[in-house]
Amino acid sequence: MQDLKVLSPEEIKGLDEPRISPSQNQTDYSKKIYLESYGCQMNFADSEVVTSILMEQGYSTTSNIQEADTILLNTCAIRENAEQKIRHRLQSFKPLKAKNPHITIGILGCMAERLKNQLLEEEKIVDLVAGPDAYRDLPRLLEEVEDGNKAVNVFLSREETYGNIEPVRMHTNGVTALVSIMRGCNNMCSFCVVPYTRGRERSRDLDSILKECTYLFESGYREVTLLGQNVDSYHWQNPETKQSVNFAQLLESVAQLNAELRVRFSTSHPKDITNEVLHTMAAYGNICKNIHLPAQSGNDRILDLMNRTYTREWYLERIQSIRNILGESCGISHDLIAGFCSETEEEHQDSLSLLEEVKYDFGYMFSYSERPGTPAEKKLSDDIPEEVKKRRLQEIIDLQRIHSAYRNQLMIGSVQCVLVEGDSKKSSAHHFGRTDNNKVVVFPKKEEMKGEFVDVKITHCTSGTLLGELIN
Ligand code: SAM
Ligand code: SF4
């Protein structure tokens, strides 16, 4: 999944930083698309589907906004600041639009779905709005804009999985790839906008997932991350044989494709992660021993208000099962929200004590942001002052940083199998890669080894990175 390091508030903000689709070096068609992606890994995977659909229609992509005919922003709505960022970005397009009134500006993804037509009224610069299930319709929507109209499609589907679309890999290192296995979410956590922006849960067919992973392996990729809001509730039924496939079975099928293909997955909901999944992970050396298990809070009253459907005790039992079945070295990460509605100081202390009890390798930590239309917005009061939320968040981040450093120190002296992803960001004399339990390792480069599995002895660490030397 993402880099294993403790994030400062600035870095957490950085998670919302966009990534720009590079030029795909295709035939230089007249219509050029510039696409920026914000938010979660699902959005980045979706942008690869969008690019595929548009390139199929003869569009090309560019990383130079100045030469674009169409600017698309694939957006996130999970917290208010994610939407503010998009609105600011739209302001910055005004000079471009003034210079070239024919340029098309489109909003895709969760913010498009949440605001629908309202977005066209509030942001006059926007010509096109397309929700996460409307990407096949993008060529028609773009034509509608060319005809001088505004275009909107925010229909949420119960079936769409884009299963038959081969994503165009962008931002790729040629070694690791995201593979979407399901869409939507049925969980209705009271704070969360995802069920409203991404619709009902549906699982992609097994054959198309296996085909995509096989193709990736044959193209030189050595790691796939199976993606969904709640991967453990993957459930697909073969329409011909009526045979059902659950997540453990899917995981096993992907792992069996080739022992040289590493398999990761994200995200697991604590109520759904079964011992069957954990035993499947234990049985295959190429299924990475790392689990992202969002907690959200360490207090039962708050978990109930959040409608997470588990208790602290249940959550800790799942952590114990992970450690029993997969061992102490299995990487475990979390999501935690500070300052949810009516959270008392004692209840906040329960979140800190949960961190203390688990000592996670890594965490994504947020202060609560009320989202319009969610059950929490309708029924609860967002009554924790911003400065209190901020202070509680900082306490959580500070403690997580200590635990990340602790977990990394435990690895000093060990030899780790590292999949090399490329050069270290700071120095081309160093390679960087990841361990099985998803820790970033930097080590001096001897020769070009991108895409290879190598043994690295861990010699030093920071709270975010392991440092080591190549052996043999
Ligand atoms: N499906 C995953 C799960 O159940 O844990 C999480 C998906 S959500 C895109 C990622 C994280 O954003 C959540 O785990 C939660 O911690 C955080 N989040 C969601 N809504 C939020 C809100 N209104 N305010 C603050 N953080 C929020
Ligand atoms: Fe949101 Fe909960 Fe679904 Fe995760 S499981 S996407 S937090 S509603």
Side-chain angles (χ1 to χ4, degrees):
M1 280 135 270
Q2 293 95 342
D3 286 4
L4 259 182
K5 61 176 198 159
V6 186
L7 298 183
S8 63
E10 293 71 37
E11 287 171 312
I12 284 171
K13 275 193 228 138
L15 277 180
D16 295 330
E17 290 304 323
R19 282 202 273 167
I20 299 161
S21 308
S23 167
Q24 301 298 319
N25 297 325
Q26 296 287 309
T27 317
D28 192 12
Y29 294 105
S30 56
K31 291 288 173 194
K32 286 202 166 79
I33 305 275
Y34 172 93
L35 172 58
E36 269 180 18
S37 308
Y38 294 76
C40 66
Q41 286 178 311
M42 292 292 296
N43 260 11
F44 291 100
D46 278 3
S47 289
E48 298 182 337
V49 167
V50 166
T51 305
S52 176
I53 290 168
L54 292 176
M55 285 176 73
E56 185 70 22
Q57 293 296 313
Y59 289 89
S60 62
T61 62
T62 176
S63 52
N64 178 0
I65 197 166
Q66 300 296 335
E67 63 178 34
D69 302 287
T70 299
I71 299 173
L72 299 176
L73 303 184
N74 193 356
T75 61
C76 172
I78 199 88
R79 282 168 291 277
E80 196 189 345
N81 60 9
E83 290 194 3
Q84 285 311 332
K85 195 165 265 179
I86 300 295
R87 290 190 189 268
H88 284 131
R89 187 67 177 133
L90 286 172
Q91 293 307 310
S92 76
F93 296 153
K94 281 193 171 158
L96 274 174
K97 187 91 167 176
K99 206 166 97 188
N100 174 11
H102 297 296
I103 201 165
T104 300
I105 296 180
I107 299 290
L108 317 180
C110 289
M111 187 176 170
E113 190 64 50
R114 193 181 83 72
L115 293 168
K116 304 182 173 63
N117 283 301
Q118 191 188 331
L119 201 47
L120 292 178
E121 284 152 28
E122 289 172 2
E123 303 288 348
K124 299 284 179 239
I125 199 169
V126 174
D127 306 294
L128 180 155
V129 173
D133 288 343
Y135 299 148
R136 286 183 204 265
D137 196 27
L138 275 172
R140 186 192 66 81
L141 295 171
L142 286 167
E143 269 176 33
E144 212 172 302
V145 175
E146 265 187 46
D147 291 345
N149 304 311
K150 298 261 178 182
V152 182
N153 185 343
V154 287
F155 175 74
L156 281 176
S157 158
R158 281 179 178 255
E159 284 98 36
E160 181 63 270
T161 61
Y162 300 111
N164 62 344
I165 291 177
E166 181 59 52
V168 172
R169 303 288 158 189
M170 301 179 307
H171 329 290
T172 181
N173 53 16
V175 179
T176 62
L178 304 173
V179 175
S180 176
I181 63 162
M182 62 193 301
R183 300 181 72 80
C185 182
N186 290 350
N187 280 334
M188 309 303 284
C189 300
S190 65
F191 52 81
C192 186
V193 79
V194 168
Y196 310 94
T197 60
R198 289 191 160 261
R200 305 291 290 171
E201 196 174 283
R202 62 225 103 115
S203 297
R204 181 177 170 188
D205 70 286
L206 176 70
D207 295 343
S208 77
I209 297 171
L210 295 180
K211 226 163 106 185
E212 187 173 333
C213 294
T214 304
Y215 174 75
L216 285 165
F217 184 77
E218 285 169 355
S219 312
Y221 287 83
R222 290 294 173 265
E223 183 181 295
V224 289
T225 300
L226 308 179
L227 279 187
Q229 291 299 346
N230 190 10
V231 287
D232 301 81
S233 65
Y234 176 88
H235 179 265
W236 179 75
Q237 194 180 46
N238 186 319
E240 279 148 31
T241 62
K242 301 292 171 210
Q243 212 180 349
S244 287
V245 181
N246 68 16
F247 181 59
Q249 291 159 336
L250 164 71
L251 201 52
E252 179 160 46
S253 303
V254 178
Q256 285 174 342
L257 289 175
N258 197 304
E260 292 282 298
L261 181 69
R262 267 187 174 178
V263 189
R264 298 188 186 278
F265 57 89
S266 183
T267 297
S268 295
H269 193 293
K271 78 172 164 58
D272 294 318
I273 189 160
T274 58
N275 283 358
E276 188 191 359
V277 168
L278 302 179
H279 285 298
T280 305
M281 290 176 75
Y284 289 88
N286 59 333
I287 303 180
C288 292
K289 307 300 178 274
N290 183 72
I291 296 181
H292 185 60
L293 201 65
Q296 314 300 3
S297 168
N299 175 270
D300 283 348
R301 190 185 73 87
I302 296 294
L303 285 170
D304 188 40
L305 283 180
M306 287 175 162
N307 193 31
R308 288 292 286 181
T309 69
Y310 54 82
T311 59
R312 178 187 174 111
E313 192 185 348
W314 168 279
Y315 183 89
L316 285 170
E317 187 281 324
R318 293 288 76 211
I319 296 284
Q320 200 47 54
S321 295
I322 294 170
R323 298 231 156 110
N324 290 346
I325 297 169
L326 297 168
E328 279 293 318
S329 61
C330 177
I332 307 182
S333 53
H334 68 90
D335 290 349
L336 213 56
I337 298 179
F340 186 64
C341 310
S342 76
E343 184 190 64
T344 64
E345 271 320 303
E346 291 70 33
E347 289 164 341
H348 164 60
Q349 288 300 324
D350 285 343
S351 289
L352 293 173
S353 76
L354 180 78
L355 292 189
E356 201 60 77
E357 208 162 332
V358 180
K359 292 194 173 53
Y360 296 93
D361 293 81
F362 174 73
Y364 290 106
M365 298 149 285
F366 312 100
S367 67
Y368 174 58
S369 165
E370 185 177 79
R371 304 312 292 133
T374 56
E377 187 260 347
K378 288 182 186 156
K379 294 187 200 134
L380 303 170
S381 161
D382 179 16
D383 54 359
I384 308 299
E386 279 311 310
E387 65 274 14
V388 176
K389 286 183 188 172
K390 211 170 146 193
R391 192 250 308 147
R392 289 182 187 172
L393 175 62
Q394 195 55 53
E395 287 173 8
I396 289 170
I397 290 170
D398 290 346
L399 189 57
Q400 181 53 53
R401 184 169 283 129
I402 292 170
H403 294 154
S404 295
Y406 164 76
R407 289 274 168 207
N408 280 356
Q409 273 154 14
L410 289 180
M411 296 183 75
I412 292 178
S414 68
V415 175
Q416 297 291 322
C417 175
V418 173
L419 173 59
V420 182
E421 293 183 26
D423 286 353
S424 147
K425 273 189 201 135
K426 289 189 185 151
S427 140
S428 59
H430 289 75
H431 268 320
F432 102 95
R434 266 164 229 266
T435 61
D436 180 81
N437 65 359
N438 206 23
K439 292 187 187 279
V440 173
V441 182
V442 172
F443 59 94
K445 192 196 250 182
K446 287 198 177 143
E447 56 193 272
E448 216 35 77
M449 289 178 146
K450 189 170 161 180
E452 288 181 32
F453 293 98
V454 296
D455 285 336
V456 177
K457 180 161 186 181
I458 308 304
T459 52
H460 300 83
C461 73
T462 66
S463 63
T465 310
L466 299 175
L467 308 167
E469 343 174 304
L470 206 56
I471 57 172
N472 297 326

